[in-house]
Amino acid sequence: MTFLLAAAQNADAPTLAAQNVAFGIIAALMIYAAVRLVTTDNVVHAAVHLVLVLAGAAAQFILLGAEFIAITQVLVYIGAIVVLFLFGIMLTKAPMSGEEKLSRDNWMLGGATGLVLLGLLGYALIDSFGGDRLPADLMPTDTRAVSDAIFGTYLVPFEIISLLLLAALVGAIVIARRD
Amino acid sequence: MLLNQFLLLAAVLFCIGVYGVISRRNGVMVLMSIELILNSVNLNLVAFSAMTGAVSGQVFALFVIAVAAAEVGVGLAIVLAIFRTYRSVDLDQVDLMKG
């Protein structure tokens, strides 16, 4: 339980305490929304809870000083992917109310798998990163540094990603086209 | 802030996503759970980037976001094709290739 002790001793500086409180609130909101996302019987409610989780993740990115990732998260995930999901829900005429069950009958097995996985991951994380702290003077990352890395070190992967996006979108049109 | 608090949050979200992929019957819901998993990985990458001060983690988080967008496009197209064929998005009914 060194992890909990280290967390308790963390309240040394007021900014850090405020950051920890913000983290706790956002994390609780994200976990609640994620649980509702996988348990609700209404598809549209699930999409709304997905928006909550993604917005919470964007807030965590800002807390970690990654502004550009947070903005991209809001633009791409909340702006584009959730709209795509809503169109998918509408096109597949999924029931708007909970008249049809969305989960399998043997959801207990899935729950057991998730819990075992969580136990293993949690043990491994606490064992290996027990009290590691983020730097106390965490400054927002310079977006210039991110763009330098994308268009310098990672130029070839970037081009491959753009080709992948093109191929995926052409493939999506081909698969979904009526013929 | 501890590094572990972000990693454990990501682990919780990942496990909830795995549960959703296993236990959901609706194809769209399975895709949403996959988004949850990819998002938790992003949280890990950015947390390690903040820990080490290197921007590589953030660049890879951007790549994951792009791949997630591509995956959702193709995934929803497949769900749409399944819906046209079976008149339903219930993945339990899609058993054509079952031995």
Side-chain angles (χ1 to χ4, degrees), chain A residues 20 23 37-38 40 46 57 60 69 73 77 84 92 102-104 110-111 118 129 132-134 141 154 176, chain B residues 1 3-5 9 13 15 19 22-25 29 35 39 43 51 56 58 68 72 76-77 83-84 92:
Chain A
N20 277 326
F23 170 86
L37 165 65
V38 294
T40 180
Q60 302 284 21
I69 311 291
Q73 169 97 358
Y77 263 114
L84 215 57
T92 54
L102 289 178
S103 294
R104 291 181 212 284
L118 180 62
F129 299 109
D132 289 5
R133 281 158 195 281
L134 293 170
T141 317
Y154 296 104
Chain B
M1 288 184 292
L3 172 67
N4 236 346
Q5 62 195 49
L9 172 67
L13 290 178
C15 294
Y19 166 76
I22 294 177
S23 69
R24 289 306 224 178
R25 273 172 37 186
M29 299 297 302
E35 288 309 304
N39 211 55
L43 209 54
M51 177 79 183
S56 311
Q58 298 194 18
V72 162
L76 278 176
F83 178 74
R84 290 230 180 87
D92 284 346

Side-chain angles (χ1 to χ4, degrees), chain A residues 24-108:
Chain A
I25 293 172
I26 299 166
L29 191 75
M30 283 171 77
I31 292 173
Y32 166 76
V35 169
R36 290 285 296 151
L37 165 65
V38 294
T39 51
T40 180
D41 270 341
N42 186 322
V43 200
V44 181
H45 287 185
V48 174
H49 284 112
L50 182 66
V51 172
L52 262 181
V53 177
L54 297 175
Q60 302 284 21
F61 291 155
I62 289 183
L63 216 52
L64 282 167
E67 298 165 329
F68 185 63
I69 311 291
I71 300 290
T72 314
Q73 169 97 358
V74 172
L75 281 179
V76 175
Y77 263 114
I78 302 178
I81 292 184
V82 170
V83 173
L84 215 57
F85 270 123
L86 287 174
F87 269 102
I89 290 168
M90 284 191 281
L91 286 173
T92 54
K93 275 191 235 141
M96 295 295 278
S97 58
E99 63 233 30
E100 191 185 320
K101 274 182 71 186
L102 289 178
S103 294
R104 291 181 212 284
D105 293 332
N106 54 358
W107 59 270
M108 302 270 284

Side-chain angles (χ1 to χ4, degrees), chain B residues 4-84:
Chain B
N4 236 346
Q5 62 195 49
F6 290 97
L7 300 186
L8 285 173
L9 172 67
V12 171
L13 290 178
F14 184 90
C15 294
I16 294 173
V18 168
Y19 166 76
V21 170
I22 294 177
S23 69
R24 289 306 224 178
R25 273 172 37 186
N26 187 319
V28 182
M29 299 297 302
V30 171
L31 283 177
M32 282 190 199
S33 304
I34 293 177
E35 288 309 304
L36 213 58
I37 293 177
L38 289 172
N39 211 55
S40 75
V41 172
N42 268 352
L43 209 54
N44 265 1
L45 288 172
V46 176
F48 277 117
S49 160
M51 177 79 183
T52 60
V55 288
S56 311
Q58 298 194 18
V59 174
F60 274 93
L62 284 173
F63 286 168
V64 169
I65 290 177
V67 172
E71 171 257 327
V72 162
V74 177
L76 278 176
I78 292 175
V79 168
L80 218 59
I82 289 175
F83 178 74
R84 290 230 180 87

